Short mmCIF file of all heavy atoms in Angstrom, two decimals:
data_model
loop_
_atom_site.label_atom_id
_atom_site.label_comp_id
_atom_site.label_asym_id
_atom_site.label_seq_id
_atom_site.Cartn_x
_atom_site.Cartn_y
_atom_site.Cartn_z
N MET Y 20 11.32 19.05 13.03
CA MET Y 20 11.31 18.93 11.54
C MET Y 20 9.91 19.10 11.12
O MET Y 20 8.95 18.54 11.56
CB MET Y 20 11.81 17.53 11.11
CG MET Y 20 11.94 17.45 9.68
SD MET Y 20 12.62 15.85 9.26
CE MET Y 20 11.29 15.11 8.18
N ARG Y 21 9.74 19.96 10.07
CA ARG Y 21 8.42 20.17 9.56
C ARG Y 21 8.51 19.87 8.06
O ARG Y 21 9.33 20.28 7.31
CB ARG Y 21 8.03 21.62 9.76
CG ARG Y 21 6.65 21.90 9.26
CD ARG Y 21 6.29 23.24 9.60
NE ARG Y 21 4.89 23.44 9.05
CZ ARG Y 21 3.90 23.80 9.81
NH1 ARG Y 21 3.93 24.02 11.05
NH2 ARG Y 21 2.64 23.94 9.29
N THR Y 22 7.50 19.08 7.55
CA THR Y 22 7.47 18.63 6.18
C THR Y 22 6.01 18.86 5.62
O THR Y 22 5.14 18.52 6.32
CB THR Y 22 7.78 17.15 6.01
OG1 THR Y 22 9.13 16.93 6.58
CG2 THR Y 22 7.84 16.71 4.55
N ASP Y 23 5.92 19.53 4.49
CA ASP Y 23 4.63 19.67 3.89
C ASP Y 23 4.09 18.36 3.39
O ASP Y 23 4.78 17.48 2.91
CB ASP Y 23 4.77 20.67 2.70
CG ASP Y 23 5.02 22.13 3.15
OD1 ASP Y 23 4.57 22.48 4.28
OD2 ASP Y 23 5.49 22.88 2.40
N TRP Y 24 2.80 18.21 3.61
CA TRP Y 24 2.12 17.00 3.20
C TRP Y 24 2.30 16.67 1.70
O TRP Y 24 2.44 15.65 1.30
CB TRP Y 24 0.62 17.09 3.60
CG TRP Y 24 -0.30 16.05 3.08
CD1 TRP Y 24 -1.26 16.17 2.12
CD2 TRP Y 24 -0.26 14.63 3.27
NE1 TRP Y 24 -1.89 14.99 1.87
CE2 TRP Y 24 -1.28 13.97 2.51
CE3 TRP Y 24 0.56 13.74 4.03
CZ2 TRP Y 24 -1.50 12.69 2.63
CZ3 TRP Y 24 0.26 12.47 4.12
CH2 TRP Y 24 -0.71 11.94 3.33
N ASP Y 25 2.29 17.79 0.84
CA ASP Y 25 2.36 17.63 -0.55
C ASP Y 25 3.72 17.12 -0.98
O ASP Y 25 3.92 16.57 -2.07
CB ASP Y 25 2.12 19.01 -1.18
CG ASP Y 25 0.68 19.43 -1.19
OD1 ASP Y 25 -0.17 18.47 -1.14
OD2 ASP Y 25 0.32 20.58 -1.12
N ASP Y 26 4.72 17.25 -0.10
CA ASP Y 26 6.11 16.75 -0.45
C ASP Y 26 6.36 15.28 -0.33
O ASP Y 26 7.22 14.74 -0.91
CB ASP Y 26 7.18 17.46 0.47
CG ASP Y 26 7.30 18.98 0.11
OD1 ASP Y 26 6.90 19.35 -1.06
OD2 ASP Y 26 7.71 19.73 0.97
N ILE Y 27 5.39 14.68 0.47
CA ILE Y 27 5.71 13.24 0.87
C ILE Y 27 4.52 12.31 0.38
O ILE Y 27 4.71 11.11 0.40
CB ILE Y 27 5.97 12.98 2.27
CG1 ILE Y 27 4.82 13.39 3.12
CG2 ILE Y 27 7.28 13.77 2.71
CD1 ILE Y 27 5.00 13.13 4.59
N ARG Y 28 3.35 12.85 0.20
CA ARG Y 28 2.28 12.00 -0.14
C ARG Y 28 2.34 11.37 -1.50
O ARG Y 28 2.62 12.12 -2.44
CB ARG Y 28 0.89 12.55 0.14
CG ARG Y 28 0.40 13.35 -1.00
CD ARG Y 28 -1.06 13.75 -0.92
NE ARG Y 28 -1.27 14.72 -1.89
CZ ARG Y 28 -1.94 15.91 -1.69
NH1 ARG Y 28 -2.51 16.09 -0.48
NH2 ARG Y 28 -2.02 16.67 -2.58
N PRO Y 29 2.11 10.07 -1.71
CA PRO Y 29 1.95 9.48 -3.06
C PRO Y 29 0.67 10.07 -3.73
O PRO Y 29 -0.28 10.38 -3.06
CB PRO Y 29 1.81 7.96 -2.79
CG PRO Y 29 2.23 7.81 -1.40
CD PRO Y 29 1.99 9.08 -0.66
N ALA Y 30 0.72 10.09 -5.06
CA ALA Y 30 -0.33 10.65 -5.80
C ALA Y 30 -1.66 9.91 -5.47
O ALA Y 30 -2.72 10.47 -5.48
CB ALA Y 30 -0.06 10.65 -7.35
N GLY Y 31 -1.65 8.59 -5.23
CA GLY Y 31 -2.85 7.83 -4.99
C GLY Y 31 -3.41 8.19 -3.65
O GLY Y 31 -4.66 7.75 -3.41
N TYR Y 32 -2.78 8.89 -2.78
CA TYR Y 32 -3.47 9.22 -1.45
C TYR Y 32 -3.95 10.62 -1.42
O TYR Y 32 -3.95 11.27 -0.39
CB TYR Y 32 -2.37 8.99 -0.28
CG TYR Y 32 -2.08 7.53 -0.11
CD1 TYR Y 32 -0.74 7.19 0.28
CD2 TYR Y 32 -2.98 6.52 -0.16
CE1 TYR Y 32 -0.39 5.87 0.46
CE2 TYR Y 32 -2.63 5.25 0.03
CZ TYR Y 32 -1.39 4.93 0.42
OH TYR Y 32 -1.06 3.64 0.60
N ALA Y 33 -4.35 11.27 -2.45
CA ALA Y 33 -4.68 12.58 -2.52
C ALA Y 33 -5.76 13.01 -1.51
O ALA Y 33 -5.73 14.15 -0.97
CB ALA Y 33 -5.15 12.94 -3.94
N GLY Y 34 -6.75 12.09 -1.13
CA GLY Y 34 -7.75 12.51 -0.27
C GLY Y 34 -7.46 12.07 1.15
O GLY Y 34 -8.24 12.32 2.04
N SER Y 35 -6.39 11.37 1.39
CA SER Y 35 -6.11 10.84 2.75
C SER Y 35 -4.97 11.56 3.40
O SER Y 35 -4.12 12.15 2.81
CB SER Y 35 -5.63 9.35 2.53
OG SER Y 35 -5.34 8.71 3.77
N LYS Y 36 -4.98 11.54 4.79
CA LYS Y 36 -3.97 12.16 5.47
C LYS Y 36 -3.20 11.20 6.49
O LYS Y 36 -2.63 11.59 7.46
CB LYS Y 36 -4.43 13.44 6.21
CG LYS Y 36 -4.70 14.49 5.21
CD LYS Y 36 -4.94 15.81 5.90
CE LYS Y 36 -5.18 16.95 4.86
NZ LYS Y 36 -5.22 18.19 5.38
N ASP Y 37 -3.41 9.83 6.14
CA ASP Y 37 -2.55 9.05 7.14
C ASP Y 37 -1.82 8.07 6.17
O ASP Y 37 -2.28 7.71 5.08
CB ASP Y 37 -3.54 8.20 8.00
CG ASP Y 37 -4.52 7.37 7.21
OD1 ASP Y 37 -4.88 7.63 6.13
OD2 ASP Y 37 -4.91 6.31 7.86
N ILE Y 38 -0.62 7.63 6.68
CA ILE Y 38 0.22 6.74 5.94
C ILE Y 38 0.74 5.65 6.87
O ILE Y 38 0.72 5.90 8.19
CB ILE Y 38 1.41 7.47 5.28
CG1 ILE Y 38 2.23 8.14 6.30
CG2 ILE Y 38 0.89 8.43 4.25
CD1 ILE Y 38 3.48 8.82 5.75
N GLY Y 39 1.12 4.51 6.35
CA GLY Y 39 1.65 3.44 7.19
C GLY Y 39 3.17 3.87 7.55
O GLY Y 39 3.80 4.42 6.70
N LEU Y 40 3.49 3.49 8.76
CA LEU Y 40 4.89 3.81 9.27
C LEU Y 40 5.41 2.67 10.10
O LEU Y 40 4.80 2.13 10.91
CB LEU Y 40 4.80 5.08 10.11
CG LEU Y 40 6.10 5.54 10.66
CD1 LEU Y 40 7.01 6.09 9.65
CD2 LEU Y 40 5.86 6.60 11.80
N SER Y 41 6.66 2.31 9.66
CA SER Y 41 7.37 1.28 10.55
C SER Y 41 8.98 1.61 10.33
O SER Y 41 9.25 2.24 9.34
CB SER Y 41 7.17 -0.07 9.89
OG SER Y 41 7.70 -1.06 10.76
N CYS Y 42 9.61 1.35 11.37
CA CYS Y 42 11.14 1.69 11.32
C CYS Y 42 11.88 0.65 11.96
O CYS Y 42 11.48 0.08 13.02
CB CYS Y 42 11.27 3.05 12.03
SG CYS Y 42 12.99 3.57 12.09
N VAL Y 43 13.04 0.26 11.36
CA VAL Y 43 13.94 -0.77 11.96
C VAL Y 43 15.30 -0.27 11.99
O VAL Y 43 15.82 0.34 10.99
CB VAL Y 43 13.86 -2.08 11.18
CG1 VAL Y 43 14.81 -3.09 11.63
CG2 VAL Y 43 12.50 -2.68 11.23
N VAL Y 44 16.10 -0.46 13.08
CA VAL Y 44 17.51 -0.28 13.23
C VAL Y 44 18.14 -1.58 13.51
O VAL Y 44 17.78 -2.23 14.43
CB VAL Y 44 17.76 0.84 14.35
CG1 VAL Y 44 19.26 0.96 14.44
CG2 VAL Y 44 17.12 2.06 14.16
N ASN Y 45 18.88 -2.01 12.49
CA ASN Y 45 19.69 -3.28 12.53
C ASN Y 45 20.95 -3.18 13.44
O ASN Y 45 21.69 -2.23 13.37
CB ASN Y 45 20.09 -3.75 11.16
CG ASN Y 45 18.78 -4.28 10.42
OD1 ASN Y 45 18.09 -5.09 10.86
ND2 ASN Y 45 18.68 -3.73 9.24
N ASP Y 46 21.24 -4.26 14.20
CA ASP Y 46 22.54 -4.45 14.79
C ASP Y 46 23.32 -5.44 14.07
O ASP Y 46 23.18 -6.69 14.07
CB ASP Y 46 22.26 -4.88 16.22
CG ASP Y 46 23.57 -5.09 17.01
OD1 ASP Y 46 24.59 -4.69 16.54
OD2 ASP Y 46 23.51 -5.66 18.12
N SER Y 47 24.26 -4.88 13.21
CA SER Y 47 25.09 -5.85 12.38
C SER Y 47 26.57 -5.28 12.37
O SER Y 47 26.65 -4.06 12.00
CB SER Y 47 24.57 -5.97 11.04
OG SER Y 47 25.40 -6.63 10.18
N ASP Y 48 27.53 -6.05 12.64
CA ASP Y 48 28.87 -5.59 12.53
C ASP Y 48 29.52 -6.12 11.30
O ASP Y 48 30.76 -6.27 11.21
CB ASP Y 48 29.66 -6.06 13.77
CG ASP Y 48 29.21 -5.37 15.04
OD1 ASP Y 48 28.71 -4.12 14.94
OD2 ASP Y 48 29.21 -5.93 16.15
N GLY Y 49 28.82 -6.58 10.30
CA GLY Y 49 29.25 -7.04 9.06
C GLY Y 49 29.26 -8.60 8.98
O GLY Y 49 29.53 -9.10 7.85
N SER Y 50 28.98 -9.27 10.05
CA SER Y 50 29.01 -10.75 9.93
C SER Y 50 27.62 -11.26 10.10
O SER Y 50 27.47 -12.38 10.72
CB SER Y 50 29.94 -11.33 11.04
OG SER Y 50 29.58 -10.91 12.35
N GLY Y 51 26.63 -10.53 9.70
CA GLY Y 51 25.21 -10.95 9.88
C GLY Y 51 24.53 -10.20 10.94
O GLY Y 51 25.14 -9.70 11.85
N ARG Y 52 23.26 -10.08 10.82
CA ARG Y 52 22.50 -9.26 11.79
C ARG Y 52 22.33 -10.04 13.08
O ARG Y 52 21.93 -11.23 13.20
CB ARG Y 52 21.07 -9.13 11.16
CG ARG Y 52 20.20 -8.21 12.03
CD ARG Y 52 18.93 -7.87 11.29
NE ARG Y 52 18.09 -8.92 11.04
CZ ARG Y 52 16.82 -8.78 10.42
NH1 ARG Y 52 16.47 -7.52 10.09
NH2 ARG Y 52 16.11 -9.79 10.22
N LYS Y 53 22.69 -9.38 14.20
CA LYS Y 53 22.55 -9.87 15.52
C LYS Y 53 21.21 -9.61 16.15
O LYS Y 53 20.83 -10.43 16.96
CB LYS Y 53 23.65 -9.32 16.44
CG LYS Y 53 24.94 -9.63 16.08
CD LYS Y 53 25.92 -8.98 17.12
CE LYS Y 53 27.13 -8.27 16.63
NZ LYS Y 53 27.92 -7.67 17.60
N GLY Y 54 20.56 -8.69 15.72
CA GLY Y 54 19.23 -8.32 16.25
C GLY Y 54 18.82 -7.01 15.66
O GLY Y 54 19.41 -6.41 14.77
N TRP Y 55 17.70 -6.42 16.17
CA TRP Y 55 17.23 -5.18 15.65
C TRP Y 55 16.28 -4.51 16.68
O TRP Y 55 15.83 -5.20 17.63
CB TRP Y 55 16.45 -5.39 14.40
CG TRP Y 55 15.26 -6.13 14.43
CD1 TRP Y 55 13.90 -5.73 14.78
CD2 TRP Y 55 15.02 -7.52 14.36
NE1 TRP Y 55 12.99 -6.77 14.79
CE2 TRP Y 55 13.73 -7.98 14.42
CE3 TRP Y 55 15.98 -8.62 13.95
CZ2 TRP Y 55 13.28 -9.21 14.38
CZ3 TRP Y 55 15.51 -9.86 13.81
CH2 TRP Y 55 14.17 -10.18 14.07
N LEU Y 56 16.07 -3.22 16.49
CA LEU Y 56 15.16 -2.45 17.33
C LEU Y 56 14.09 -1.89 16.40
O LEU Y 56 14.51 -1.38 15.33
CB LEU Y 56 15.93 -1.36 18.06
CG LEU Y 56 15.07 -0.42 18.80
CD1 LEU Y 56 14.45 -1.08 20.08
CD2 LEU Y 56 15.91 0.77 19.28
N SER Y 57 12.84 -2.11 16.66
CA SER Y 57 11.83 -1.65 15.76
C SER Y 57 10.71 -0.88 16.31
O SER Y 57 10.43 -1.10 17.59
CB SER Y 57 11.20 -2.90 15.02
OG SER Y 57 10.51 -3.71 15.77
N TYR Y 58 10.11 -0.06 15.61
CA TYR Y 58 8.86 0.67 15.95
C TYR Y 58 7.77 0.21 14.96
O TYR Y 58 7.83 0.33 13.76
CB TYR Y 58 9.04 2.23 15.74
CG TYR Y 58 7.61 2.87 15.97
CD1 TYR Y 58 7.18 2.99 17.23
CD2 TYR Y 58 7.00 3.32 14.84
CE1 TYR Y 58 5.95 3.68 17.41
CE2 TYR Y 58 5.73 3.93 15.07
CZ TYR Y 58 5.27 4.13 16.35
OH TYR Y 58 4.02 4.70 16.43
N MET Y 59 6.82 -0.57 15.47
CA MET Y 59 5.81 -1.30 14.70
C MET Y 59 6.45 -2.43 13.97
O MET Y 59 7.65 -2.62 14.03
CB MET Y 59 5.06 -0.26 13.83
CG MET Y 59 4.46 0.85 14.50
SD MET Y 59 3.34 0.45 15.85
CE MET Y 59 1.94 -0.27 15.09
N GLY Y 60 5.65 -3.21 13.30
CA GLY Y 60 6.11 -4.43 12.58
C GLY Y 60 6.09 -4.20 11.15
O GLY Y 60 5.76 -3.16 10.67
N GLY Y 61 6.31 -5.38 10.40
CA GLY Y 61 6.08 -5.45 8.99
C GLY Y 61 7.36 -5.29 8.15
O GLY Y 61 7.29 -5.15 6.95
N ILE Y 62 8.52 -5.23 8.82
CA ILE Y 62 9.77 -5.09 8.05
C ILE Y 62 10.81 -6.22 8.47
O ILE Y 62 11.20 -6.95 7.65
CB ILE Y 62 10.46 -3.69 8.33
CG1 ILE Y 62 9.53 -2.60 7.83
CG2 ILE Y 62 11.74 -3.65 7.59
CD1 ILE Y 62 10.06 -1.25 8.10
N ALA Y 63 11.14 -6.25 9.69
CA ALA Y 63 12.27 -7.18 10.07
C ALA Y 63 11.96 -8.69 9.88
O ALA Y 63 12.87 -9.37 9.52
CB ALA Y 63 12.61 -6.89 11.60
N ASN Y 64 10.77 -9.15 10.04
CA ASN Y 64 10.45 -10.56 9.98
C ASN Y 64 9.72 -10.87 8.74
O ASN Y 64 8.97 -11.72 8.58
CB ASN Y 64 9.61 -11.01 11.14
CG ASN Y 64 10.39 -11.04 12.42
OD1 ASN Y 64 11.57 -11.48 12.35
ND2 ASN Y 64 9.76 -10.82 13.54
N GLY Y 65 9.88 -10.02 7.64
CA GLY Y 65 9.26 -10.12 6.41
C GLY Y 65 8.31 -9.04 6.10
O GLY Y 65 8.03 -8.24 7.03
N LYS Y 66 8.00 -8.81 4.94
CA LYS Y 66 7.26 -7.66 4.54
C LYS Y 66 5.78 -7.85 4.79
O LYS Y 66 5.14 -8.76 4.31
CB LYS Y 66 7.48 -7.26 2.99
CG LYS Y 66 8.96 -7.24 2.66
CD LYS Y 66 9.68 -6.27 3.45
CE LYS Y 66 11.13 -6.10 3.07
NZ LYS Y 66 12.10 -6.43 4.12
N GLY Y 67 5.21 -6.97 5.63
CA GLY Y 67 3.84 -7.10 6.02
C GLY Y 67 3.24 -5.70 6.25
O GLY Y 67 3.08 -5.26 7.49
N PRO Y 68 2.80 -4.97 5.29
CA PRO Y 68 2.27 -3.62 5.44
C PRO Y 68 1.07 -3.54 6.44
O PRO Y 68 0.87 -2.51 7.00
CB PRO Y 68 1.92 -3.13 4.02
CG PRO Y 68 2.75 -4.09 3.15
CD PRO Y 68 3.00 -5.41 3.88
N ALA Y 69 0.35 -4.62 6.58
CA ALA Y 69 -0.74 -4.64 7.48
C ALA Y 69 -0.31 -4.39 8.95
O ALA Y 69 -1.09 -4.04 9.80
CB ALA Y 69 -1.58 -5.94 7.43
N GLN Y 70 1.00 -4.64 9.22
CA GLN Y 70 1.53 -4.43 10.57
C GLN Y 70 2.03 -3.05 10.88
O GLN Y 70 2.36 -2.72 12.00
CB GLN Y 70 2.68 -5.48 10.85
CG GLN Y 70 2.20 -6.90 10.78
CD GLN Y 70 3.34 -7.84 10.82
OE1 GLN Y 70 4.42 -7.58 11.62
NE2 GLN Y 70 3.32 -8.97 10.19
N PHE Y 71 2.19 -2.22 9.79
CA PHE Y 71 2.57 -0.76 9.97
C PHE Y 71 1.68 -0.06 10.98
O PHE Y 71 0.54 -0.32 11.00
CB PHE Y 71 2.67 -0.18 8.57
CG PHE Y 71 3.65 -0.65 7.71
CD1 PHE Y 71 3.78 -0.07 6.47
CD2 PHE Y 71 4.53 -1.67 7.91
CE1 PHE Y 71 4.71 -0.46 5.49
CE2 PHE Y 71 5.54 -2.14 7.09
CZ PHE Y 71 5.54 -1.54 5.86
N GLY Y 72 2.25 0.93 11.61
CA GLY Y 72 1.39 1.81 12.47
C GLY Y 72 0.88 2.94 11.54
O GLY Y 72 1.25 3.06 10.43
N ASP Y 73 0.02 3.71 12.13
CA ASP Y 73 -0.44 4.84 11.31
C ASP Y 73 0.26 6.11 11.71
O ASP Y 73 0.39 6.53 12.85
CB ASP Y 73 -2.08 5.15 11.66
CG ASP Y 73 -2.90 3.98 11.08
OD1 ASP Y 73 -2.51 3.42 10.04
OD2 ASP Y 73 -3.79 3.62 11.77
N ALA Y 74 0.64 6.84 10.72
CA ALA Y 74 1.15 8.19 10.87
C ALA Y 74 0.17 9.19 10.32
O ALA Y 74 -0.24 9.13 9.16
CB ALA Y 74 2.50 8.39 10.07
N ILE Y 75 -0.57 10.05 11.22
CA ILE Y 75 -1.60 10.93 10.80
C ILE Y 75 -0.96 12.24 10.47
O ILE Y 75 -0.40 12.77 11.50
CB ILE Y 75 -2.71 10.83 11.74
CG1 ILE Y 75 -3.27 9.41 11.88
CG2 ILE Y 75 -3.74 11.86 11.32
CD1 ILE Y 75 -4.21 9.29 13.01
N LEU Y 76 -1.11 12.68 9.39
CA LEU Y 76 -0.47 13.97 8.95
C LEU Y 76 -1.58 15.10 8.94
O LEU Y 76 -2.63 14.81 8.48
CB LEU Y 76 0.19 13.89 7.60
CG LEU Y 76 1.13 12.73 7.38
CD1 LEU Y 76 1.71 12.66 6.00
CD2 LEU Y 76 2.36 12.96 8.40
N LYS Y 77 -1.14 16.27 9.44
CA LYS Y 77 -2.26 17.32 9.48
C LYS Y 77 -1.51 18.58 9.14
O LYS Y 77 -0.25 18.73 9.25
CB LYS Y 77 -2.91 17.45 10.75
CG LYS Y 77 -2.02 17.86 11.96
CD LYS Y 77 -2.84 18.06 13.12
CE LYS Y 77 -2.06 18.78 14.23
NZ LYS Y 77 -2.95 19.15 15.34
N ASN Y 78 -2.30 19.54 8.53
CA ASN Y 78 -1.68 20.76 8.16
C ASN Y 78 -1.46 21.68 9.34
O ASN Y 78 -2.10 21.61 10.43
CB ASN Y 78 -2.63 21.57 7.20
CG ASN Y 78 -2.82 20.77 5.93
OD1 ASN Y 78 -1.87 20.15 5.46
ND2 ASN Y 78 -3.83 21.03 5.24
#
């Protein structure tokens, strides 16, 4: 998959080419979350952007 930097960067990051990245996949069958699989932190145990990993975008 190829995405242009201009399509995803927020206006406030005009001079930067790195963004915070974290991803969570929940295991829930409708009766509450049993667990999760995550890449980096900052989502599943509360919101903490300082725990996000760096995604470095380049042209």
